[in-house]
Amino acid sequence: MLFAIMRPKLLRAVVALLVIALAPAIPPARAQQGGAELSVIGQPIWHDTDDSIDLRLRIANASSEPLEGYSLSLIAHGRTTSRSALRDSFSSPPAFTTSAYQPELPEEPIPPGESMSVVIDDPLTRLSSLATAVDGGVYPVTVALFDADGDQLDAVTTPFIVYPTTPDTALNLVLVAPLNAVPSRG
């Protein structure tokens, strides 16, 4: 009876020991700087092909170590053709990259618990696929934050609405129909 009780405990102890011994170690840079968060705090409603990117980001350091040597990468994807494809691009960015580049950032570290706002004001031509787009539409752009070792800390995808040519002037007429009122005359 005692052997039957000890045997499962011994087996669990051996399995736990093997898991601990064979588990890969987490790199210290990733563990120290894994608390970084990237968020979009502003961008234009739409872009013309000769506009600047004008993307405002916040990088927050929630770790206990200063965030040093970080970099950003802007990755443009192909034009989305439906709302569901656009919605899906926010949760998992498309695998196909049409163009990418790394903007210059200030080299100041972000202290623990602090955040920094960054404005990417480079011309849209830095993302060549958007600057040479023939079809107007919504193009998901992923912004990825990397640490000094090149490990990705966070990423966010945002829609860029690109009009290669200025839209025609709309009619100066707006149809308004109240949806919550009883139809009436006059």
Side-chain angles (χ1 to χ4, degrees):
M1 176 93 171
L2 182 61
F3 182 75
I5 294 173
M6 289 177 53
R7 192 168 207 194
K9 287 183 180 179
L10 180 63
L11 181 61
R12 276 188 248 144
V14 169
V15 169
L17 185 60
L18 284 173
V19 168
I20 291 170
L22 298 177
I26 298 173
R30 183 81 167 160
Q32 292 172 356
Q33 297 180 354
E37 184 178 309
L38 181 65
S39 57
V40 175
I41 56 175
Q43 74 182 72
I45 295 173
W46 65 278
H47 290 88
D48 193 350
T49 53
D50 59 350
D51 286 347
S52 66
I53 293 173
D54 196 21
L55 185 63
R56 291 178 289 289
L57 305 165
R58 177 171 291 121
I59 303 170
N61 182 8
S63 71
S64 59
E65 298 291 323
L67 182 62
E68 297 177 313
Y70 53 91
S71 63
L72 291 175
S73 183
L74 270 71
I75 306 156
H77 306 287
R79 184 172 70 98
T80 58
T81 56
S82 68
R83 287 188 313 205
S84 57
L86 179 62
R87 186 183 58 233
D88 292 344
S89 73
F90 298 137
S91 58
S92 61
F96 183 68
T97 299
T98 57
S99 60
Y101 91 102
Q102 289 187 318
E104 294 290 324
L105 294 177
E107 293 187 16
E108 56 190 88
I110 302 173
E114 300 281 325
S115 65
M116 171 191 270
S117 294
V118 176
V119 177
I120 300 173
D121 206 20
D122 296 331
L124 192 65
T125 56
R126 297 298 305 262
L127 291 168
S128 60
S129 64
L130 298 184
T132 59
V134 177
D135 296 327
V138 181
Y139 294 83
V141 173
T142 300
V143 183
L145 173 65
F146 296 95
D147 66 7
D149 296 330
D151 294 325
Q152 184 172 321
L153 300 175
D154 197 12
V156 63
T157 301
T158 186
F160 273 40
I161 299 173
V162 178
Y163 290 120
T165 57
T166 305
D168 295 333
T169 305
L171 295 175
N172 292 326
L173 173 70
V174 176
L175 178 61
V176 178
L179 299 177
N180 60 352
V182 177
S184 62
R185 200 171 203 175

